[in-house]
Amino acid sequence: MDDILITGNDNDAIANLLNKLNSQFTMKQLGLARHFLGITIQSMRDKYFLSQQSYAQSLLQQTNLHKCNSLSNPSSTKQPIKVNQDNTIADAITYRKITAIQYLTITRPDIAHAVNTLSQHMHDPEPIHLHLLKRLLRYILGNITFGLPITKSSMILRTFSDADADWAGDPITKKSTSSFCTFLGDTLVSWTVKKQNTVSRSSTESEYRALAAATADTIWLKHLLADFNIPHTSPVAFYCDNTSAIALENNPVFHARTKHIEIDQRFIRDHI
């Protein structure tokens, strides 16, 4: 990697740093950042907007989908029983090549879950996976201008966690998928979609595993803010939509049916 992006609110400090770097390396200053590693940076008053429209367009060109009809959803809850073979994404090699769409999730958290699902089948994609990849590309075509806004707002963290909506969602392993995201003020700064390592025997257990992962990630973000001299002294608000998980968190008494998730429960309770 030979690209570097320096940012800050002290122009003199940035100039001094550039002078030191120029004395050690051959560098060229390109001025205000507009494009960086395939990401377009739009600067506005008290706001930035990050997008990857050109990168998405190149993926659509590779599959000849740049003129197809768009879709409103990145994935489908009900998969078709029979899928016709499509010449657009004809084989596993093309599938693996287009799965470079993972890089698009840097500014497109709305496709993170669909990309996570498709990436699990790169070794041996079946016709259904080729169909779902094409569906995702058609969704991207209809929302190709989507991106990630960065706005000036409060420095308060908020975390949202969910997993029970996809409890035992994997049809083969019956593992659930953890998903959570964290906002710093009004700006989304962290998000994760990941298949859980073990099988959850209930939606409550699945939700608690997601909460534990979200808690660890949020603690790391608090330490990162402290490195930037931004102490986060107020409690972080956690949002969870599973009433059983919330009830379990408020009940310190463990029963036989909940002993298998005691470690995650204790971990979250300690940090609360």
Side-chain angles (χ1 to χ4, degrees):
M1 188 64 66
D2 57 0
D3 298 311
I4 182 172
L5 181 64
I6 301 175
T7 182
N9 56 4
D10 190 331
N11 293 330
D12 293 335
I14 293 176
N16 292 333
L17 177 59
L18 287 174
N19 291 332
K20 292 179 181 179
L21 291 174
N22 282 323
S23 64
Q24 300 290 331
F25 308 98
T26 301
M27 300 181 62
K28 182 179 180 181
Q29 186 175 355
L30 301 178
L32 186 65
R34 292 183 175 86
H35 298 277
F36 185 72
L37 301 179
I39 301 174
T40 301
I41 305 172
Q42 299 179 18
S43 301
M44 292 161 275
R45 182 180 177 86
D46 294 334
K47 181 180 180 180
Y48 291 94
F49 186 77
L50 309 182
S51 62
Q52 295 171 277
Q53 183 173 345
S54 59
Y55 183 77
Q57 191 68 44
S58 67
L59 293 174
L60 294 170
Q61 293 281 355
Q62 292 178 41
T63 51
N64 296 319
L65 291 174
H66 55 287
K67 293 183 180 179
C68 70
N69 296 325
S70 61
L71 293 175
S72 58
N73 295 310
S75 59
S76 57
T77 54
K78 294 184 178 180
Q79 299 181 359
I81 300 176
K82 185 177 180 181
V83 178
N84 297 326
Q85 190 67 31
D86 197 318
N87 293 327
T88 303
I89 307 173
D91 52 29
I93 296 177
T94 306
Y95 183 90
R96 297 187 191 104
K97 186 177 181 181
I98 302 304
T99 317
I101 200 172
Q102 293 178 66
Y103 187 65
L104 195 60
T105 59
I106 292 177
T107 59
R108 294 290 301 268
D110 57 315
I111 65 173
H113 186 275
V115 172
N116 173 270
T117 301
L118 293 171
S119 299
Q120 297 174 30
H121 304 280
M122 285 195 292
H123 60 292
D124 186 22
E126 298 179 1
I128 182 62
H129 305 130
L130 304 179
H131 169 78
L132 293 175
L133 178 56
K134 180 179 178 181
R135 179 185 179 91
L136 175 59
L137 290 169
R138 290 175 62 187
Y139 167 78
I140 292 173
L141 175 65
N143 305 282
I144 200 166
T145 58
F146 278 17
L148 188 66
I150 301 176
T151 58
K152 185 177 181 180
S153 58
S154 65
M155 306 299 285
I156 302 299
L157 292 171
R158 294 176 297 141
T159 297
F160 297 81
S161 173
D162 190 23
D164 60 318
D166 193 58
W167 174 50
D170 190 287
I172 299 176
T173 64
K174 295 303 179 182
K175 292 181 179 180
S176 305
T177 300
S178 295
S179 56
F180 55 87
C181 63
T182 301
F183 286 80
L184 182 60
D186 297 330
T187 300
L188 181 63
V189 294
S190 176
W191 60 92
T192 296
V193 177
K194 184 179 180 181
K195 183 192 291 186
Q196 296 180 357
N197 295 327
T198 58
V199 177
S200 297
R201 291 187 286 170
S202 66
S203 61
T204 303
E205 178 183 354
S206 172
E207 188 72 37
Y208 242 100
R209 295 193 187 282
L211 277 171
T215 301
D217 186 75
T218 304
I219 294 169
W220 177 81
L221 287 173
K222 289 186 66 175
H223 291 317
L224 183 62
L225 288 174
D227 289 341
F228 286 103
N229 294 321
I230 305 174
H232 194 285
T233 56
S234 59
V236 179
F238 264 74
Y239 295 87
C240 169
D241 63 350
N242 186 291
T243 54
S244 297
I246 295 173
L248 178 61
E249 186 280 323
N250 290 319
N251 181 11
V253 179
F254 281 95
H255 305 283
R257 71 181 69 180
T258 60
K259 286 183 178 179
H260 56 289
I261 54 174
E262 181 175 358
I263 294 176
D264 282 347
Q265 202 271 358
R266 292 296 184 189
F267 176 74
I268 297 173
R269 178 175 283 277
D270 284 348
H271 288 288
I272 290 178

